[in-house]
Amino acid sequence: MLPAIVMAAVLVLAGCTPTPPSVTPEPVPSSTPVFASDEDALAAATAAYAKYLEVSDQITADGGKSPDRIAKFVTSNQLVHELDGFKQWSEPDDSSVGSSQFDTVSLQRYDDIAGGKSVVVVYLCVDVSAVRIMNAAGTDVTPATRPNRYPLEVEFDANSAADPELVISRSEPWSGNNFCQ
């Protein structure tokens, strides 16, 4: 009996007594996702780009005047690039007639990042075949070699689930295979 008591005491002192299993709580996300699904993120990006393109077309139709109208559709870093692009319309006094379109929109990625923000990146095809460039005399000066459709990679940022409005943070020609054929 004495050896059993000694063995029990050694086990207790050594910490070998069984302990009740600990319950690990489920991890709680640090912030609410901005979009419920990839499909919702893609739909939001498509809607945001449509609004952006409409205002961009208005600015070029006005010969590049009041280009700051585009500011609510882009980040402050992207705004610098947008304003530079619109300068080319005002210096030779050109304007546009017609509306740009886009299609073949596909999601490259959607990520929720720290602080409740998110990034949505899409591929899309811009179609400018219905847009003509007119000079001050009203003559069509659209370059004959201008591509009518071209692929872009466009990145959008959203601030939070409470403010899921997407704005363009980057727009670049897609350098891979042209998926706009």
Side-chain angles (χ1 to χ4, degrees):
M1 177 80 172
L2 186 57
I5 294 174
V6 170
M7 184 58 131
V10 168
L11 289 176
V12 168
L13 292 174
C16 293
T17 57
T19 57
S22 62
V23 177
T24 305
E26 289 292 318
V28 177
S30 59
S31 62
T32 304
V34 175
F35 300 106
S37 67
D38 286 354
E39 292 78 20
D40 288 348
L42 180 60
T46 301
Y49 197 78
K51 291 175 189 174
Y52 160 83
L53 202 55
E54 180 180 345
V55 172
S56 179
D57 282 345
Q58 290 170 0
I59 294 168
T60 60
D62 293 341
K65 293 177 181 73
S66 303
D68 56 321
R69 292 178 274 174
I70 205 74
K72 69 187 249 182
F73 303 100
V74 298
T75 63
S76 58
N77 287 340
Q78 182 64 23
L79 180 60
V80 172
H81 301 291
E82 298 289 327
L83 295 177
D84 283 344
F86 289 126
K87 280 183 188 174
Q88 70 179 328
W89 291 91
S90 60
E91 290 169 0
D93 208 19
D94 288 345
S95 62
S96 68
V97 175
S99 297
S100 304
Q101 302 295 317
F102 69 101
D103 57 33
T104 319
V105 184
S106 62
L107 183 68
Q108 182 200 56
R109 70 184 169 91
Y110 160 53
D111 294 316
D112 285 311
I113 54 177
K117 297 180 184 253
S118 72
V119 173
V120 179
V121 181
V122 300
Y123 299 118
L124 59 84
C125 295
V126 173
D127 185 334
V128 294
S129 59
V131 177
R132 308 311 299 162
I133 301 170
M134 310 302 278
N135 67 15
T139 304
D140 186 342
V141 294
T142 307
T145 58
R146 176 190 75 178
N148 285 324
R149 291 174 54 80
Y150 52 94
L152 292 178
E153 180 182 47
V154 182
E155 182 173 311
F156 299 86
D157 292 349
N159 290 326
S160 68
D163 180 19
E165 193 72 26
L166 290 175
V167 293
I168 296 171
S169 58
R170 182 178 57 84
S171 179
E172 297 175 357
W174 173 242
S175 60
N177 290 334
N178 186 346
F179 52 87
C180 296
Q181 304 297 336

